[in-house]
Amino acid sequence: MNVAIITGASSGIGMEFALQMDNYFVTIDEFWLIARSREHLEEVAKVLDHKTRVIAMDITDEKKQDVLEDLLIEKNATVRVLVNAAGFGVMGPFSEQERMTAQEMVRLNCEALTALTHRMLPYMRRNSRIIQLASSAAFLPQPDFAVYAATKAYVLSFSRALGEELKEAGIYVTSVCPGPVDTPFFDIAEKTGTTLSIKKYTMVNPDKVVALALKDSYYKRSMSVCSLPIKYFQYLTKAVPHGLLLKAMGLLKKKGF
Ligand SMILES: NC(=O)c1ccc[n+]([C@@H]2O[C@H](COP(=O)([O-])OP(=O)(O)OC[C@H]3O[C@@H](n4cnc5c(N)ncnc54)[C@H](OP(=O)(O)O)[C@@H]3O)[C@@H](O)[C@H]2O)c1
């Protein structure tokens, strides 16, 4: 049985992956939708044409990860697509952040993503795809978003290296690096801080990010960067020393941008 596994499928970008993949992935027998909220996952499952399995779990819980892996074995499943979209970020100065929250970000965005990728790999075949939600925050350290940006730098670095390792096996990894996307992400992120206004001008809808990510994954591209301003930002972070860019960001913040 061919399955597509999507974490973070109850909301935002993960949900959008489920909706768009439902239209195109005709060779997938079952979609496995993962997040903590069963109710929201069931709402998503209702509108999909594919057969769908709702798996309500906290992906940082290793025992639940064991159960997921057992299910793959029981169903003799081949993972054709793995989308690791579950993640969260919290803004604000690190010294004022709850230690638990900072640790949870690392646990979810890095550890759980790594564990699930590792657990799913043995069930992948040639032409399987892994799509990892990084962020444009991976391109440059982000004061007042320090831990989140560091987790996304991890995702990008890990996923690009993994992509090289897996090329010969015919498994392709795409890191998705959007700037701000209009999802409930900011309901959590902005509880303790605010996004630079200039970033909000680059906000895009999740459908655009996901359509490009699926196209880039299809064409076996290692990265997917949506929208011109974010491509330009990526170029800047390659061309200009990070120390200078951090100073510029500090100035923008002081001036209220
Ligand atoms: N929105 C942006 O501006 C933006 C930009 C760049 C990258 N990203 C990345 O894109 C990904 C998706 O974000 P989004 O914008 O779609 O945010 P979102 O709407 O808040 O969705 C986050 C998803 O993660 C799930 N989740 C959170 N904690 C979980 C846990 N412990 N176990 C299982 N599932 C969990 C949530 O479901 P439950 O709460 O039901 O568990 C939800 O489905 C994240 O990795 C984020 O870092 C977002």
Side-chain angles (χ1 to χ4, degrees):
M1 177 173 65
N2 289 325
V3 298
I5 299 181
I6 305 170
T7 74
S10 64
S11 167
I13 297 172
M15 179 174 77
E16 186 62 35
F17 266 106
L19 298 176
Q20 291 196 26
M21 285 166 64
D22 189 42
N23 292 330
Y24 304 117
F25 285 63
V26 284
T27 56
I28 300 288
D29 300 305
E30 263 188 31
F31 276 39
W32 291 10
L33 305 183
I34 302 179
R36 290 164 305 177
S37 154
R38 177 175 296 281
E39 199 189 325
H40 288 154
L41 288 175
E42 277 169 356
E43 277 167 25
V44 179
K46 255 190 234 156
V47 298
L48 300 187
D49 289 329
H50 276 84
K51 194 170 174 217
T52 302
R53 183 179 294 269
V54 160
I55 303 173
M57 65 181 266
D58 180 339
I59 61 165
T60 64
D61 182 335
E62 286 191 30
K63 289 202 180 90
K64 298 277 168 58
Q65 293 175 10
D66 287 341
V67 174
L68 176 64
E69 209 180 324
D70 287 346
L71 191 64
L72 282 170
I73 297 166
E74 187 196 317
K75 298 291 171 195
N76 193 21
T78 297
V79 180
R80 282 293 169 199
V81 189
L82 168 65
V83 180
N84 273 312
F88 83 104
V90 172
M91 293 173 184
F94 177 65
S95 57
E96 291 170 21
Q97 212 157 48
E98 296 278 342
R99 190 163 52 248
M100 280 295 285
T101 309
Q103 287 175 318
E104 273 168 27
M105 263 185 281
V106 177
R107 230 170 263 140
L108 179 63
N109 300 357
C110 302
E111 284 183 27
L113 176 140
T114 308
L116 286 189
T117 304
H118 194 269
R119 282 174 185 267
M120 299 301 123
L121 260 181
Y123 307 96
M124 294 189 165
R125 299 286 174 268
R126 287 198 85 76
N127 264 323
S128 286
R129 296 290 195 274
I130 302 175
I131 298 177
Q132 311 280 43
L133 258 297
S135 166
S136 62
F139 301 153
L140 182 73
Q142 309 265 312
D144 289 346
F145 215 7
V147 175
Y148 176 73
T151 66
K152 292 302 175 177
Y154 170 88
V155 173
L156 180 57
S157 171
F158 160 63
S159 305
R160 295 202 74 185
L162 180 68
E164 288 303 313
E165 286 182 22
L166 294 178
K167 257 183 196 159
E168 283 210 355
I171 297 170
Y172 300 98
V173 184
T174 301
S175 301
V176 184
C177 299
V181 187
D182 194 3
T183 72
F185 176 85
F186 290 96
D187 299 346
I188 298 172
E190 290 193 323
K191 270 186 188 155
T192 46
T194 44
T195 315
L196 283 179
S197 331
I198 198 166
K199 282 194 193 169
K200 293 223 161 156
Y201 290 119
T202 63
M203 182 84 83
V204 294
N205 286 322
D207 57 342
K208 210 175 154 196
V209 174
V210 170
L212 182 67
L214 289 173
K215 188 172 160 198
D216 286 333
S217 166
Y218 177 81
Y219 285 111
K220 306 172 184 171
R221 293 180 184 130
S222 62
M223 283 178 74
S224 181
V225 181
C226 181
S227 88
L228 262 184
I230 301 305
K231 284 191 174 136
Y232 183 60
F233 174 63
Q234 183 191 16
Y235 170 76
L236 264 187
T237 61
K238 285 182 182 167
V240 180
H242 284 190
L244 276 182
L245 290 175
L246 288 172
K247 268 190 192 151
M249 277 170 73
L251 281 176
L252 284 175
K253 193 182 164 198
K254 265 192 194 150
K255 301 232 177 250
F257 285 99

